[in-house]
C-alpha cells in the first residue's frame, strides 16, 4: 500500500509540474516612468538651444517629482540590499527589484540575536538583521541556537527555507517578520 501511495504522489508531482507554465526567460521590462521618457526624448531635438531648454525643463520636473516622492531612484547595490532584506517573504513580482532568476537572493548568512521555543517544540529565531524565522518541521536540533552563532538560510521547495546553524543539519523554516 505504501508503494502505491508513493507512486501516486510522484505522479501527482509530475502532473503538477507539467501543468505549470514555464516562465518567459525574457520578461518585458516595466514601462519607463513618463518623467524619464520625456527627459530622454529631449535628445531627439536637433536645435541645440531647444534641446537645452527641453533638458532644463524636464530635469526640473524630474527633480520636483523626486522631491514630492512621485518617483524614486535606486542603484543596483540598494536593490540588492532591499532584496536581501525581503528574503523569505512571498511577495508578488512587481519587477521593481530586478528582473530574472540571476537577481534573486538564494541564501542569506546572518547571526542569531535571540531564540525562543514555539508551542509545538520548535524554535523561533530572531536574527541580527531583524528578521524572525520559525521552525515548521519537527526535527530536533542537537544544540539550541545561541546568540552570535552563524546561520545560513537557503531557499527550499514550495516556498519554504532551510536554516542551518553553523553547518549542522538543517531545519525547515518560514519567515515570520
Amino acid at each position: 500500500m505504501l508503494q502505491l501511495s508513493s507512486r501516486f504522489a510522484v505522479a501527482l508531482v509530475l502532473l503538477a509540474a507539467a501543468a505549470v507554465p514555464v516562465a518567459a526567460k525574457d520578461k518585458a521590462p516595466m514601462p519607463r516612468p513618463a518623467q524619464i521618457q520625456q527627459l530622454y526624448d529631449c535628445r531627439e531635438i536637433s536645435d541645440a538651444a531647444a534641446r537645452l531648454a527641453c533638458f532644463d525643463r524636464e530635469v526640473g520636473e524630474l527633480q520636483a517629482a523626486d522631491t514630492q516622492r512621485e518617483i524614486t531612484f535606486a542603484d543596483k547595490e540598494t536593490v540588492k540590499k532591499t532584496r536581501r532584506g525581503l528574503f523569505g517573504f512571498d511577495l508578488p513580482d512587481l519587477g521593481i527589484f530586478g528582473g530574472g532568476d540571476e537577481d534573486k537572493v538564494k541564501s542569506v548568512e546572518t547571526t542569531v540575536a535571540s531564540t525562543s521555543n514555539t508551542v509545538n517544540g520548535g524554535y523561533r529565531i530572531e536574527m541580527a538583521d531583524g528578521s524572525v524565522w520559525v521552525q515548521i518541521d519537527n526535527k530536533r536540533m542537537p544544540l539550541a541556537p545561541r546568540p552570535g552563532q552563524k546561520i545560513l538560510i537557503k531557499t527550499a521547495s514550495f516556498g519554504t527555507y532551510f536554516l542551518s546553524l553553523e553547518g549542522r543539519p538543517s531545519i525547515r523554516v518560514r519567515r515570520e517578520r
Side-chain angles (χ1 to χ4, degrees), residues 10-22:
V10 169
L12 278 178
V13 168
L14 291 175
L15 182 62
V20 175
V22 177

Side-chain angles (χ1 to χ4, degrees), residues 59-132:
V59 167
E61 289 192 20
L62 188 61
Q63 184 178 14
D66 183 30
T67 302
Q68 295 170 0
R69 313 286 268 164
E70 294 173 2
I71 191 169
T72 301
F73 301 98
D75 63 1
K76 201 170 196 170
E77 192 57 37
T78 302
V79 171
K80 278 183 179 179
K81 285 180 184 176
T82 302
R83 285 182 146 254
R84 187 180 186 285
L86 294 172
F87 180 75
F89 287 124
D90 188 22
L91 301 172
D93 184 10
L94 302 175
I96 57 176
F97 298 119
D101 288 339
E102 69 277 356
D103 292 333
K104 288 192 176 169
V105 177
K106 294 181 174 75
S107 66
V108 170
E109 289 186 42
T110 185
T111 56
V112 175
S114 66
T115 62
S116 59
N117 290 338
T118 62
V119 292
N120 61 359
Y123 292 102
R124 181 179 183 273
I125 307 170
E126 184 170 347
M127 305 301 173
D129 62 8
S131 63
V132 176

